[in-house]
Amino acid sequence: MAQTAINVTPPNVPAEKVSSPWRDAWKAFRKNKTAMVGLYIIVFFVLIAIFAPLIAPYGFKEQVLVNRLKPPSSAHWFGTDDLGRDLFTRVMYGARISLWVGFFSVIASIFVGTILGILAGFYGKWIDMLISRLFDILLAFPSILLAIAIVAILGPSLQNALYAIAIVNIPTYGRLVRAKVLSLKSEEYITAARAIGMTNTRILVTHILPNSLTPIIVQGTLGIATAIIEAAALGFLGLGAQPPDPEWGKMLSDSRQFIQKAPWTVIFPGLSIMLTVLGFNLMGDGLRDVLDPRMKN
Amino acid sequence: MNSYLLKRVMVLIPVLIGMTIIVFSIIHAIPGDPAETILGQKATEQSKQALREQLGLDKPWLQQYFNYMGELLHGDLGTSIRTKTPIAKEIMPYLAATLELTAASMLFATFVGVNAGILSAWRQNSWFDYTAMIIALIGVSMPIFWLGLMEQLIFALKLHWLPSIGRMDQRNPIETITNLYVLDSLLAGRWDQLWIVIKHLILPSIALGTIPMAIIARMTRSSMLEVMNSDYIRTAKAKGLSQFLVVYKHALKNALIPVLTVVGLQTGALLGGAVLTETIFAWPGVGRYIFEAISSRDYPVIQTGILIIAFIFVFINLLVDLMYAAIDPRINYK
């Protein structure tokens, strides 16, 4: 009997070519030009926020009264405000505040929203009824108005503005997670997990949570954009950051009265809000196309 | 349809009750003594006690809530602490101002948004399409308070084309009948005043309407693109109809259904944005009324203002749902 030698050596596959869902998503994301522009804008502002103390030419509280309302120049790239403070410096430090509020308020909303969404979707019955009605009620208010109401109760401060924005946005994530849990619950692999005796907690942590992640990431990215605008709006109304914090919205309201004499005091903080929000919107749209195309529209 | 309407309204009842509980709780959630927060630390115990009695804060919580609901159902919206006037009476002109601004913004947003969306879809991938969609993208990311300030800077302070603040020229007061100034000047046949009123409306309604305009434009474009690829449009083109007729008569009818939902939802959202726009343009609407109440800690006004706007918001959303069902016969609500 003739023996045939069979080559069983596995083909030499380079490690980087192994595909994973995240790697595929990143590949698709990289091809999306507008989404990449969004990512670059975000990275730019994040870097500014991190390195503000190192690169800012002046201190953000540093007042030089003889330099009041000076137009942009080589010494002050964005000009100065009514107290002679360097606007370029203040806009840079403002990135810290806006990104901090945007990021942490969304994390807080996601944390609470996910817990409530899972409780409602997984356990159903009266818990679902109660939580869903609570979401309905919170969503029945225009979000900025509810945030204003919460700050009116807690008192105006940046921290309270963050809490208010976080509370207002809880139902958005809660509903998303609830819907995802409901659709996953009837999947066969969850029934299988139950059949082999997995506990509810384990099913939640190992199966349901990881599978709910994509819509949360997409919504969270777009949510940071909304949170930044809401924080700036509260700041603008005097209900968020308090002086001398260089918050973009507060800077706008403080400089309003000088708009004709010193338009630069209003142009640069506003432009920064718009660009940051645009970055998160572009990236969020791109992530949605890549991770969850069904969410489009 | 009738059973759907009934079901939809029934679902609303617990939501409305929940909203009254939240708004009612605003004053109770104030940390510490609400009377002291409202009157300040220097207030005498006597005046604080008088305020507690006026607001009913000295009674048990549940009793306070039932009293509050009873008053609301009888049309008693409380009394302003600052002006000592019944809020139901005081709020009417503010409400009219907000409604006029919201309506003008929505008109702008729908007209520009729908037409830009149609043209973008019609001339897909043209320079118009790209420009319109870039503007829409920037529009969605624009903080309305900044847009308002920029409008004031350019069109009022630099070019002097339009007034920067207010609803009407102070020296030329309008004879109020409905408090909707456009309507009032029409009723009085004062065309000169109508023009001034419209000039005051332009900047704030563009500021407030830009975000909805951008969202409507994007929605119309994607909806139109979907419809334009369907068989019946190909048939319409094949039988030799002009492009204009195909787009505006055949395609638009079906493409407008999802757009209508967005228009409705955005009208509700405008009410929230009105707070900011009204602050910038010194527009005497409910948003500004609430904002002023916050600075003077006039909690009954804050409560009522928020409740009224939220109720209108809910009502508009209900209306959109019903219109949606009425317009599209394919939707079955059984």
Side-chain angles (χ1 to χ4, degrees):
Chain A
M1 196 199 258
Q3 287 216 337
T4 331
I6 300 168
N7 184 5
V8 286
T9 332
N12 198 7
V13 182
E16 66 269 18
K17 281 199 179 161
V18 177
S19 86
S20 81
W22 293 109
R23 195 164 305 189
D24 291 346
W26 168 240
K27 253 190 208 164
F29 183 82
R30 254 190 346 201
K31 280 186 197 148
N32 187 334
K33 277 184 204 151
T34 48
M36 284 306 283
V37 171
L39 181 65
Y40 291 141
I41 296 176
I42 295 170
V43 170
F44 174 72
F45 276 101
V46 168
L47 288 178
I48 284 185
I50 295 173
F51 297 109
L54 297 176
I55 44 180
Y58 303 89
F60 70 86
K61 286 189 215 166
E62 203 178 310
Q63 301 180 11
V64 184
L65 288 173
V66 284
N67 277 343
R68 292 177 76 240
L69 300 175
K70 285 271 184 294
S73 64
S74 58
H76 301 282
W77 289 4
F78 289 178
T80 61
D81 67 5
D82 57 312
L83 294 172
R85 293 174 296 195
D86 180 55
L87 266 179
F88 183 60
T89 304
R90 287 181 67 74
V91 167
M92 279 212 253
Y93 275 94
R96 290 191 140 194
I97 297 180
S98 285
L99 290 176
W100 181 78
V101 172
F103 191 72
F104 282 101
S105 68
V106 166
I107 294 276
S109 307
I110 289 178
F111 183 73
V112 181
T114 306
I115 292 177
L116 292 177
I118 283 177
L119 285 177
F122 200 74
Y123 294 102
K125 295 179 190 157
W126 66 269
I127 301 183
D128 183 21
M129 172 71 187
L130 195 76
I131 294 175
S132 295
R133 286 298 83 75
L134 182 71
F135 288 167
D136 284 347
I137 293 167
L138 287 178
L139 285 170
F141 289 93
S143 60
I144 186 76
L145 214 60
L146 192 58
I148 288 176
I150 296 170
V151 180
I153 297 168
L154 299 175
S157 78
L158 184 63
Q159 198 180 358
N160 291 342
L162 189 147
Y163 293 148
I165 295 164
I167 294 172
V168 163
N169 292 315
I170 287 172
T172 316
Y173 303 98
R175 274 194 168 181
L176 208 68
V177 172
R178 177 182 170 273
K180 193 77 192 173
V181 172
L182 280 180
S183 74
L184 287 173
K185 222 166 69 170
S186 50
E187 293 279 340
E188 280 174 8
Y189 71 91
I190 300 291
T191 320
R194 244 185 245 287
I196 60 167
M198 263 192 170
T199 59
N200 276 346
T201 324
R202 204 153 158 228
I203 292 177
L204 277 173
V205 173
T206 54
H207 292 302
I208 307 248
L209 263 183
N211 278 301
S212 314
L213 214 59
T214 38
I216 293 180
I217 292 175
V218 173
Q219 190 58 48
T221 314
L222 294 167
I224 294 178
T226 319
I228 289 176
I229 287 212
E230 282 167 351
L234 288 176
F236 184 79
L237 292 172
L239 299 172
Q242 299 298 314
D245 281 350
E247 197 272 330
W248 291 336
K250 181 78 187 135
M251 283 163 78
L252 280 179
S253 72
D254 288 345
S255 306
R256 262 183 77 184
Q257 47 183 317
F258 310 109
I259 186 169
Q260 195 165 13
K261 201 174 159 199
W264 55 88
T265 55
V266 177
I267 292 174
F268 293 111
L271 209 58
S272 311
I273 303 174
M274 199 200 77
L275 273 177
T276 321
V277 171
L278 183 69
F280 281 103
N281 276 337
L282 288 176
M283 186 163 142
D285 280 351
L287 281 176
R288 184 186 50 203
D289 293 348
V290 171
L291 295 175
D292 203 352
R294 275 169 306 175
M295 262 175 79
K296 220 172 177 180
N297 299 328
Chain B
M1 181 70 196
N2 281 341
S3 64
Y4 171 70
L5 173 76
L6 194 71
K7 216 172 133 189
R8 185 70 176 73
V9 173
M10 292 300 279
V11 172
L12 259 188
I13 294 173
V15 172
L16 292 179
I17 294 176
M19 288 165 74
T20 58
I21 294 177
I22 288 192
V23 167
F24 167 76
S25 309
I26 288 179
I27 210 163
H28 297 84
I30 301 171
D33 178 9
E36 192 179 303
T37 309
I38 294 168
L39 294 173
Q41 284 178 336
K42 286 180 188 161
T44 60
E45 188 49 43
Q46 206 178 0
S47 56
K48 281 194 264 185
Q49 189 52 35
L51 183 69
R52 277 185 215 118
E53 275 168 29
Q54 186 201 328
L55 297 175
L57 293 170
D58 49 348
K59 298 190 181 73
W61 192 89
L62 207 61
Q63 193 189 340
Q64 283 184 47
Y65 177 69
F66 283 118
N67 286 347
Y68 173 73
M69 278 304 281
E71 284 164 6
L72 266 188
L73 291 172
H74 283 97
D76 180 358
L77 304 178
T79 309
S80 160
I81 295 175
R82 189 169 52 117
T83 61
K84 313 266 184 297
T85 320
I87 299 169
K89 193 177 146 201
E90 201 176 57
I91 205 167
M92 288 320 275
Y94 291 104
L95 199 58
T98 297
L99 289 181
E100 193 166 68
L101 176 62
T102 320
S105 306
M106 216 51 228
L107 201 71
F108 159 76
T110 314
F111 182 76
V112 179
V114 167
N115 282 297
I118 291 172
L119 286 177
S120 279
W122 189 357
R123 301 262 178 262
Q124 198 193 354
N125 298 331
S126 67
W127 67 266
F128 179 86
D129 183 21
Y130 289 130
T131 320
M133 286 307 113
I134 287 173
I135 292 176
L137 201 61
I138 293 173
V140 178
S141 313
M142 186 80 85
I144 41 178
F145 42 96
W146 186 59
L147 178 63
L149 290 174
M150 289 297 105
E151 282 180 358
Q152 280 181 333
L153 176 66
I154 299 168
F155 298 103
L157 302 172
K158 296 277 179 214
L159 298 171
H160 302 287
W161 288 353
L162 294 161
S164 66
I165 54 163
R167 244 186 121 186
M168 185 60 196
D169 198 344
Q170 296 286 339
R171 288 158 298 176
N172 190 1
I174 211 153
E175 199 182 317
T176 50
I177 307 162
T178 60
N179 274 309
L180 299 165
Y181 283 7
V182 172
L183 199 63
D184 285 349
S185 51
L186 277 173
L187 288 174
R190 294 286 303 269
W191 303 105
D192 54 324
Q193 285 195 330
L194 178 67
W195 176 231
I196 300 173
V197 169
I198 290 176
K199 277 199 337 196
H200 279 84
L201 256 174
I202 293 176
L203 291 184
S205 47
I206 291 178
L208 186 54
T210 295
I211 293 179
M213 183 268 284
I215 295 173
I216 291 169
R218 290 172 77 172
M219 188 71 207
T220 310
R221 180 180 180 271
S222 69
S223 173
M224 277 296 278
L225 282 177
E226 212 168 287
V227 172
M228 292 292 278
N229 288 327
S230 55
D231 287 343
Y232 82 97
I233 293 293
R234 208 176 34 218
T235 313
K237 279 183 192 163
K239 69 180 187 184
L241 281 185
S242 72
Q243 269 278 15
F244 184 83
L245 268 184
V246 172
V247 169
Y248 275 88
K249 198 176 163 208
H250 291 245
L252 189 60
K253 234 185 221 171
N254 279 320
L256 269 189
I257 294 167
V259 174
L260 184 79
T261 319
V262 178
V263 169
L265 290 176
Q266 289 303 315
T267 311
L270 278 186
L271 293 166
V275 181
L276 294 158
T277 319
E278 288 173 3
T279 309
I280 295 163
F281 290 96
W283 191 267
V286 183
R288 203 175 145 78
Y289 186 50
I290 296 173
F291 177 69
E292 280 169 1
I294 290 173
S295 10
S296 54
R297 294 184 183 150
D298 195 344
Y299 280 88
V301 170
I302 301 176
Q303 285 177 307
T304 309
I306 290 178
L307 192 68
I308 285 186
I309 291 204
F311 268 30
I312 299 176
F313 186 60
V314 169
F315 180 71
I316 291 174
N317 286 345
L318 172 71
L319 218 62
V320 173
D321 263 14
L322 299 181
M323 258 161 73
Y324 200 47
I327 283 182
D328 192 347
R330 288 169 303 184
I331 296 170
N332 189 349
Y333 284 100
K334 270 176 193 164

